Amino acid sequence: MRALAYLDAALTSLAARLRGEDPERGDVPGWVMVTVMTAALVLGILTVFQEAVVTAVQNALNSVTGAG
């Protein structure tokens, strides 16, 4: 009887997942929007402050590698 209950629970869970009723699926369109907005912010910052960002990154890399 216990195996039957386990099988019933597994099949019910599988059927719910196939129907798309899984609460653990997440919000894919939301994550896509966050990713696109982050990329847009990075591009906006780089277009305005490109020279300062490049200089800061070069200085940071030079201080780590000991070059120059």
Side-chain angles (χ1 to χ4, degrees):
M1 195 65 167
R2 188 174 185 179
L4 184 60
Y6 177 75
L7 181 62
D8 182 47
L11 289 176
T12 302
S13 174
L14 179 62
R17 183 176 291 260
L18 291 175
R19 283 192 305 265
E21 298 175 5
D22 187 11
E24 299 293 323
R25 282 190 55 134
D27 184 20
V28 173
W31 284 107
V32 170
M33 184 179 69
V34 168
T35 304
V36 169
M37 289 176 68
T38 303
L41 282 171
V42 169
L43 287 175
I45 291 170
L46 279 179
T47 51
V48 176
F49 301 107
Q50 180 177 2
E51 187 175 329
V53 170
V54 169
T55 303
V57 170
Q58 286 176 343
N59 289 339
L61 290 175
N62 287 340
S63 70
V64 171
T65 59

